[in-house]
Amino acid sequence: MNTNLSSSVPSQLETDCLVVVVLDRSEKDQSEKDQSKKDKPAPSLESSDDAVREAARDVISSGEVTGKPFETTLLHRPAGLKAKRLLLVGGGKAKTFSAAELRKLAGAAVRTLKSKSIRSFAFVVPETAIPSSQGLRAIVEGAFVGNFDPGYYKSDRNEKDQKIDALTIVVHGDAHDAKAMESAMQTGRIVAESQNFTRDLVNEPSNRMTPTMMAERAKKMAAEVGLNCETYGADKIKQLKMGAFWGVAQGSDEPPALIVLRYDPVGAADKIHLGLVGKAVTFDTGGISIKPADGMEKMKYDMAGGATMIGVMRAIAMLKPKVKVTAIICATENMPSGKAQKPGDVQIAMSGKSIEIINTDAEGRLVLADGLCYARQLGCTHLVDAATLTGAVVVALGYANAGVFANDDAMYERLEKAQAKAGEKMWRLPLDDEYKENIRSNIADMVNSGGRWGGAINAAMFLKEFAEDTPWIHLDIAGTAWMEEQKPWIAKGPSGIALRSLVEFVKSFAS
Ligand code: BES
Ligand code: MN
Ligand code: ZN
């Protein structure tokens, strides 16, 4: 999708469709107190261009337009405008309207218009409290995210090719700084295209995204953006004594891959080295503790954590913040076979700790244990991991929030800021010592499954043993990496969750 900026008056812009936000200005308690429509303030059109206001006047005064979230009203040949169409999109309450809502509205506009075979449109940056550059970036991000659809293997070209080709963003009065605007647009584009890059990887089925193929994709991307990428196979995993990772990989005929991406810019501070560790189980059958058939096909997205870290590295390589970052992605299948590990087996992790395998389906924490240990060995001073780790996090938080765990409050606060800026939802869960009992083993240092109660926490407690004293954050994205239903702003399928937050998080360390 091409993106360009325009500072022309919206009504004078020639476009297939001009998109303007409409906000609901009514106060909640007011509408409760008096039901009469008369006193309710009219929804406000977020453009000061009189011609646009005039074109929308009748439909707004009719009461048909309320400004409620994602309400769309399409007018053809709007009087007085050069645009062929005028699309009004509801943004909800004016009081709570923020960049996060705007991002979604841009996605909703893209999805509404592309389904009508429209290929290009212009979005007017709302004249609200959101600073222009921030609004602009949110619109670009939302539009790219909305433009993604997962129908890669559909043979019907019509369905496949429904995409917006060109987006014009119409900036208003306070947007004097053309350079800042251009840079906000580029940043939004890089971040959202990286998010879609991740979604592409996650969308692939396991026969088209083996660990080896994932390593190849990482290599190709790295060459394109100028990152250092090394990929290793079983030999290196054994040589590093990654017994936990290998315990999972040993059951599959597909070779595992250890993917290491390095970003080391000149001018970065010596004392900060971020390590991004990703779970990339390209298919999780559960192993010998095999999963039920119902829904097992979804376990192709069990590599989403790794795909997220690869996407973050793409964005970082292009945005060039001055901070050293290394990503470690542990890619393998989890299969039952004659060579597979069995419940009761004991594996010795790279760190030297012994693990009694109670359940071979708790494999993600095993590959991450060695990934975290390796990151520390490479000198990482701060760690973040992302993984579709537990069904229990879905029970706890549903599909709306990713689970966050941290062994360090300052790290958590940094992530919280980044996540708010990125417009993503995450919720912190505890890591109290009380939970440690759940992973106690009779014969080894720990078991790999702490049972059902507090399952997401037990998994995080396990990982904590391998982060040791390094400040660390764990993101459990099992409930959020895949959209179970489509939303107005995003397709059903891979979401690319956490990428935008992590890019902001990394940038926050830049010198
Ligand atoms: N990959 C799954 C977790 C998962 C569940 C991801 C649902 C996405 C959607 C993970 O490897 C797993 O199987 N976890 C087990 C752990 C249990 C055996 C302790 C689980 O959550 O049931
Ligand atoms: Mn599993
Ligand atoms: Zn898994």
Side-chain angles (χ1 to χ4, degrees):
M1 180 167 63
N2 285 317
T3 47
N4 71 284
L5 289 176
S6 164
S7 48
S8 72
V9 184
S11 54
Q12 296 308 303
L13 202 74
E14 282 183 37
T15 170
D16 286 342
C17 187
L18 188 72
V19 180
V20 182
V21 174
V22 179
L23 296 179
D24 178 357
R25 299 242 164 226
S26 67
E27 302 281 332
K28 200 179 167 199
D29 40 341
Q30 187 184 344
S31 60
E32 271 166 15
K33 258 187 261 160
D34 64 84
Q35 307 280 349
S36 75
K37 248 191 178 173
K38 267 191 201 157
D39 298 340
K40 215 177 155 187
S44 67
L45 192 77
E46 290 299 300
S47 171
S48 54
D49 183 349
D50 287 334
V52 174
R53 304 178 74 84
E54 186 54 32
R57 199 175 62 155
D58 283 355
V59 72
I60 288 188
S61 63
S62 74
E64 272 171 51
V65 177
T66 65
K68 71 169 182 258
F70 308 113
E71 168 191 78
T72 53
T73 311
L74 186 61
L75 303 177
H76 280 246
R77 299 169 130 280
L81 305 194
K82 290 200 171 152
K84 290 190 188 135
R85 303 171 186 81
L86 175 62
L87 178 71
L88 306 179
V89 286
K93 297 277 182 210
K95 264 195 161 169
T96 52
F97 190 71
S98 70
E101 276 76 39
L102 182 56
R103 191 182 283 105
K104 289 180 180 174
L105 288 192
V110 163
R111 298 191 66 71
T112 302
L113 295 175
K114 73 174 186 164
S115 72
K116 298 183 194 301
S117 299
I118 292 168
R119 295 277 176 263
S120 66
F121 71 93
F123 198 110
V124 180
V125 178
E127 294 174 35
T128 56
I130 308 168
S132 268
S133 63
Q134 216 182 309
L136 163 62
R137 179 174 160 189
I139 291 166
V140 173
E141 288 178 358
F144 273 94
V145 169
N147 212 19
F148 176 98
D149 264 293
Y152 195 80
Y153 295 108
K154 288 185 192 290
S155 45
D156 181 341
R157 305 277 335 166
N158 278 338
E159 217 177 321
K160 239 179 93 165
D161 293 348
Q162 258 179 14
K163 283 243 173 346
I164 297 294
D165 298 326
L167 165 67
T168 299
I169 300 117
V170 190
V171 292
H172 51 87
D174 78 326
H176 325 288
D177 190 346
K179 228 177 136 192
M181 292 295 131
E182 193 64 35
S183 135
M185 185 169 79
Q186 288 312 329
T187 304
R189 188 189 175 101
I190 288 168
V191 172
E193 284 187 327
S194 298
Q195 186 174 345
N196 287 348
F197 172 84
T198 289
R199 293 164 85 195
D200 258 328
L201 298 182
V202 176
N203 195 44
E204 294 288 1
S206 75
N207 64 329
R208 293 169 184 278
M209 188 53 64
T210 61
T212 308
M213 292 173 189
M214 202 166 167
E216 277 161 9
R217 292 269 195 123
K219 272 224 142 109
K220 182 162 171 270
M221 178 280 286
E224 282 164 11
V225 302
L227 275 176
N228 175 288
C229 179
E230 274 154 28
T231 66
Y232 308 100
D235 289 348
K236 177 82 170 186
I237 292 166
K238 285 187 233 176
Q239 183 203 323
L240 287 168
K241 297 195 160 52
M242 292 179 150
F245 185 2
W246 177 247
V248 179
Q250 72 181 45
S252 177
D253 285 345
E254 275 304 331
L258 174 64
I259 305 167
V260 182
L261 290 157
R262 284 187 171 90
Y263 171 72
D264 192 3
V266 282
D270 299 330
K271 50 187 195 310
I272 299 169
H273 180 183
L274 303 185
L276 308 178
V277 182
K279 167 183 176 181
V281 174
T282 59
F283 197 79
D284 181 11
T285 66
I288 297 298
S289 314
I290 198 161
K291 288 179 181 293
D294 245 12
M296 202 205 269
E297 73 283 354
K298 281 182 51 194
M299 284 301 110
K300 68 171 188 171
Y301 86 82
D302 213 16
M303 33 62 79
T308 302
M309 294 318 192
I310 299 176
V312 170
M313 292 305 280
R314 180 188 184 275
I316 293 303
M318 296 176 85
L319 294 171
K320 305 191 185 345
K322 285 197 175 15
V323 54
K324 184 171 175 178
V325 192
T326 300
I328 292 160
I329 292 98
C330 302
T332 177
E333 290 184 336
N334 185 25
M335 297 290 283
S337 80
K339 292 183 297 177
Q341 66 179 348
K342 301 174 284 299
D345 286 1
V346 172
Q347 307 291 11
I348 311 296
M350 183 183 179
S351 74
K353 289 192 166 126
S354 60
I355 306 163
E356 183 184 2
I357 309 297
I358 295 298
N359 190 318
T360 65
D361 198 10
E363 85 297 343
R365 62 200 78 180
L366 296 173
V367 308
L368 289 175
D370 286 340
L372 290 167
C373 180
Y374 189 44
R376 294 183 75 240
Q377 196 198 73
L378 293 179
C380 293
T381 56
H382 298 74
L383 298 171
V384 186
D385 77 69
T388 47
L389 203 65
T390 66
V393 84
V394 196
V395 175
L397 298 173
Y399 297 124
N401 279 277
V404 185
F405 299 84
N407 65 355
D408 181 282
D409 289 342
M411 277 283 267
Y412 173 73
E413 277 151 29
R414 213 182 254 273
L415 179 80
E416 195 184 25
K417 285 203 189 91
Q419 157 236 313
K421 207 169 165 195
E424 294 186 309
K425 291 202 162 189
M426 300 181 182
W427 198 260
R428 190 177 183 181
L429 292 168
L431 282 175
D432 299 308
D433 286 337
E434 282 85 340
Y435 296 99
K436 214 181 149 181
E437 301 176 14
N438 296 347
I439 55 168
R440 206 162 47 204
S441 165
N442 250 337
I443 67 163
D445 295 336
M446 64 194 100
V447 293
N448 77 327
S449 163
R452 203 164 152 210
W453 311 118
I457 302 170
N458 297 339
M461 289 302 289
F462 181 95
L463 296 179
K464 189 170 170 241
E465 295 296 307
F466 297 90
E468 301 193 34
D469 57 357
T470 306
W472 154 79
I473 283 185
H474 158 55
L475 301 176
D476 194 337
I477 56 172
T480 44
W482 194 265
M483 304 297 299
E484 295 294 328
E485 296 296 342
Q486 64 163 336
K487 301 277 183 192
W489 66 91
I490 192 170
K492 178 175 173 174
S495 68
I497 181 70
L499 182 139
R500 293 201 311 265
S501 299
L502 288 174
V503 171
E504 286 306 319
F505 180 81
V506 170
K507 277 169 67 184
S508 79
F509 282 92
S511 44

